[in-house]
Amino acid sequence: NMQCDTIALALKCGLTNFAVLSLGRDNAEFTCDELPALGTFHTAIHSGSDDQYIAFRNYLSARFAYLINKLKETTDENGDSLLDTTLVLQITCMGHGNAHDTNNAPFTMATATKNMIGGRGFSVAHSDSLLDTVSAALGVDGQMQTYGGGAPSGLLL
């Protein structure tokens, strides 16, 4: 949570307009002090039980929710919520851990910006489509060259 607080303060002070909260390296070899019995996230993804994986995902999603709430309650120099001008993404590099693929990896986007088309879910086949999905959510799809797998598919209303 302290890392989320630092991100909010850096955005509030105008020190940056981009921040990343990354746990571990790309091989997910990190542990959580709050979940000592679970071992590493890497193990939970690849060979752990469903309960291990769910506990880690719940923990990571709680950090995401904390960051969203922190941005919502922190104001910028104009007195507006930081969430009004920030797009927050929760990403993971792994879809099905035992298969070692990135297909159907869970992503979550959150913002309060009025420029974002709200109330829509997006389904992308591969993580390369994430940038295309963000473009579609912001309403600028078709105006930019696609990245990776092309246009998002399976838009949910």
Side-chain angles (χ1 to χ4, degrees):
N1 288 348
M2 288 172 40
Q3 290 172 317
C4 295
D5 294 343
T6 302
I7 287 171
L9 289 172
L11 293 170
K12 177 183 179 71
C13 295
L15 295 175
T16 185
N17 60 2
F18 180 84
V20 174
L21 172 61
S22 178
L23 302 175
R25 299 185 320 252
D26 63 346
N27 61 0
E29 289 289 345
F30 65 88
T31 59
C32 296
D33 290 341
E34 294 86 346
L35 306 170
L38 295 183
T40 67
F41 186 51
H42 185 186
T43 300
I45 291 171
H46 293 300
S47 59
S49 69
D50 287 346
D51 289 341
Q52 282 177 292
Y53 179 73
I54 290 168
F56 263 109
R57 291 303 316 164
N58 284 340
Y59 175 82
L60 296 172
S61 294
R63 302 293 67 73
F64 182 69
Y66 179 88
L67 178 58
I68 291 168
N69 285 324
K70 190 67 176 178
L71 294 174
K72 183 178 179 182
E73 65 190 32
T74 304
T75 57
D76 63 15
E77 67 276 359
N78 299 318
D80 296 323
S81 163
L82 287 177
L83 194 58
D84 290 343
T85 57
T86 306
L87 175 63
V88 186
L89 301 173
Q90 180 184 31
I91 63 172
T92 181
C93 63
M94 195 60 58
H96 187 284
N98 290 334
H100 259 159
D101 70 30
T102 59
N103 291 329
N104 299 311
F107 302 114
T108 307
M109 293 187 287
T111 185
T113 181
K114 293 167 183 55
N115 297 331
M116 182 105 168
I117 299 170
R120 292 167 58 179
F122 300 92
S123 175
V124 296
H126 192 272
S127 59
D128 287 348
S129 298
L130 177 62
L131 295 177
D132 298 326
T133 302
V134 170
S135 296
L138 292 171
V140 295
D141 52 322
Q143 300 175 36
M144 304 169 66
Q145 182 176 354
T146 59
Y147 175 86
S153 62
L155 296 178
L156 304 173
L157 301 176

